[in-house]
Amino acid sequence: LSFTVAFTKSFRTPSKGSTPPYYGTITPDPNFSASRDAAALQRAIEAKGVDESAITEILARRTNAQRQQIKAAYENDTGKVRPPETLKSVLKSHYEDTVVALLMNPAQYDAYELRQAMKGLGTNEKVLNEILGTRSNHEIRLLKTAFKEAYGAELEHNIKGDTSGHYETALLALSKALYEAGEKKIGTVYSVFIDILTSRSEAQLCKIFKQYDKLGTQGFPKALEHEMKGDVEDCLMTLGKCLCCNSNMVLFECDALTLQGAWANCNTLTRILVSRSEVDLKKILQEYKRMYGKTLQEDINVETKGDYVKILLALCGDH
C-alpha cells in the first residue's frame, strides 16, 4: 500500500449558532465509564491467550479523549504500568501497532510517526510530507512539544540531521508553523514556492491560488510539478493540494498499481485510519469508493488478516 491523504482546510466560518458537520467515524460512547473500561481492559489483557476482541471493542469504539481517560483510570485503579507498555508485552505485529497508536493522543502519535520516519538508516519522506504538509499550525505546535517531551530533542534538529537542500528548507519552514503575511527577499524558483506556501495564511493562499489560475495557463499543482523535482516536489505538492481547493472535501490519492496485491505499507494504512478517524475518515471512505468502485473495507478484508482486520474495520465505523 502506498498512498497519501491530503485534505483541504475550510476557509468558511460556520454561521453563528450552527454546528459544523462531523465527518469522523468514531463518536463518543454516550454510556462511557473510564473505570469500567479500564477494568474490562485489564480482564482482556489477563485472559488466557489475551482477549483481542474485547480490546478492539473497548479502544476502537471510544474517542481519543475517552481513551486517554481509560489510560489514566487503568494506571490509577490497577497500580500497574500504563496500558501501552502492558499491551506491547502481550500483543504483536500490526495489531499491536494499531492498539498502541490508539492510546496516544494525536500530537504524541504524530511525533512518534515523525520519529519513526527519521529513525535509523534512510528517511521516509512520504510520512514527513503527509504530517507536516497537512496539519494545522496548532497541531504542528502540539506535535513539536510532544516530540521534545518524548525524545528530548527539537523536531527541527532531527529534520536537519536527516534531510538536506531545498527539501530541508521546506520541512523546516513547515515545522516552524509560521503562516504569516510578509515580503521576503527571494531568489530561485524553489525559494519562491517555499516562501509562498509556508509564509502566507490559509485565506491568503486560497486567494493566491485562484489568482494564479486566472493568470497562468496551468493550475498551481501543475506549476509545482513543472518547477519542482524529487522530495521537495512531493512535500510542496502535499501542502499545495491540501490548500488548493476552497471546499471542505477530502482529496484521497492512491497509487492504483501498488494498491493491487499485497499492501506492503500497513503502517500507512494504520496511521491514516487512526489519525483521521475523528476528522474526515468518513469522506475518505466515500472518496475511495468513488475512485476504485469498491470500499476500503473490502480491500482491508482481502489484504489484511486476523485481529488487525477487525480493529481497522471498527475504525471505519458503520460506513
Side-chain angles (χ1 to χ4, degrees):
L1 174 67
S2 174
F3 59 78
T4 302
V5 168
F7 62 96
T8 61
K9 302 168 186 177
S10 177
F11 298 107
R12 295 176 294 180
T13 302
S15 58
K16 189 174 181 180
S18 65
T19 302
Y22 180 69
Y23 297 110
T25 54
I26 303 299
T27 57
D29 179 357
N31 301 311
F32 175 68
S33 168
S35 295
R36 184 174 63 242
D37 281 347
L41 187 61
Q42 183 182 10
R43 290 194 298 272
I45 292 171
E46 296 176 349
K48 185 178 180 179
V50 185
D51 189 348
E52 287 90 349
S53 295
I55 293 172
T56 295
E57 190 62 27
I58 295 167
L59 298 181
R61 305 289 186 184
R62 307 293 186 271
T63 63
N64 190 273
Q66 290 177 332
R67 292 194 291 269
Q68 302 313 308
Q69 293 180 57
I70 294 171
K71 281 172 57 178
Y74 181 92
E75 187 171 4
N76 182 65
D77 296 346
T78 65
K80 297 182 179 181
V81 295
R82 293 179 300 169
E85 285 73 14
T86 304
L87 288 163
K88 282 181 182 179
S89 67
V90 297
L91 302 178
K92 59 183 180 180
S93 192
H94 300 304
Y95 180 72
E96 173 196 336
D97 296 337
T98 307
V99 167
V100 172
L102 287 170
L103 286 168
M104 299 182 198
N105 66 41
Q108 290 169 339
Y109 187 42
D110 279 345
Y112 171 79
E113 286 293 289
L114 289 171
R115 169 70 169 171
Q116 292 300 111
M118 296 182 284
K119 188 178 179 180
L121 296 175
T123 302
N124 190 331
E125 291 85 0
K126 289 185 177 180
V127 175
L128 300 183
N129 297 343
E130 176 193 321
I131 294 176
L132 294 178
T134 62
R135 300 306 189 255
S136 68
N137 290 346
H138 178 64
E139 289 168 334
I140 289 178
R141 293 187 187 100
L142 290 177
L143 74 85
K144 286 172 61 179
T145 299
F147 191 95
K148 187 172 183 179
E149 289 177 351
Y151 308 112
E154 299 288 348
L155 175 61
E156 288 89 342
H157 176 77
N158 281 53
I159 289 174
K160 288 179 181 178
D162 283 79
T163 60
S164 60
H166 295 298
Y167 183 51
E168 176 190 336
T169 303
L171 289 179
L172 288 174
L174 288 173
S175 70
K176 289 179 181 178
L178 295 176
Y179 288 85
E180 299 174 352
E183 295 299 326
K184 299 177 182 178
K185 293 182 178 179
I186 48 181
T188 65
V189 165
Y190 280 93
S191 64
V192 171
F193 279 99
I194 291 171
D195 175 70
I196 291 173
L197 286 172
T198 63
S199 66
R200 303 308 194 263
S201 71
E202 295 170 2
Q204 288 171 328
L205 285 170
C206 186
K207 293 179 181 178
I208 289 171
F209 296 146
K210 286 182 179 179
Q211 188 62 23
Y212 192 98
D213 289 341
K214 293 179 181 178
L215 297 175
T217 57
Q218 55 187 347
F220 196 81
K222 287 293 183 182
L224 279 178
E225 289 181 4
H226 178 73
E227 299 290 351
M228 304 289 166
K229 300 296 179 185
D231 294 330
V232 67
E233 175 194 349
D234 294 337
C235 175
L236 296 181
M237 280 294 291
T238 300
L239 180 62
K241 288 179 180 179
C242 175
L243 294 167
C244 271
C245 292
N246 60 4
S247 66
N248 195 29
M249 67 178 294
V250 174
L251 300 177
F252 186 73
E253 296 189 345
C254 302
D255 185 339
L257 294 176
T258 56
L259 189 64
Q260 295 169 4
W263 285 2
N265 194 354
C266 288
N267 290 337
T268 301
L269 179 61
T270 298
R271 182 176 60 256
I272 290 174
L273 294 192
V274 171
S275 64
R276 310 313 298 174
S277 61
E278 293 181 53
V279 183
D280 51 14
L281 184 51
K282 190 182 297 185
K283 284 196 169 187
I284 290 171
L285 296 174
Q286 293 170 351
E287 185 66 10
Y288 190 96
K289 184 176 182 179
R290 185 193 67 79
M291 292 176 67
Y292 296 107
K294 55 184 175 179
T295 66
L296 179 59
Q297 293 94 316
E298 289 177 279
D299 274 340
I300 287 173
N301 267 315
V302 171
E303 302 292 351
T304 62
K305 59 184 180 180
D307 292 297
Y308 184 49
V309 176
K310 297 175 184 177
I311 199 166
L312 293 182
L313 292 178
L315 289 172
C316 289
D318 302 320
H319 306 285

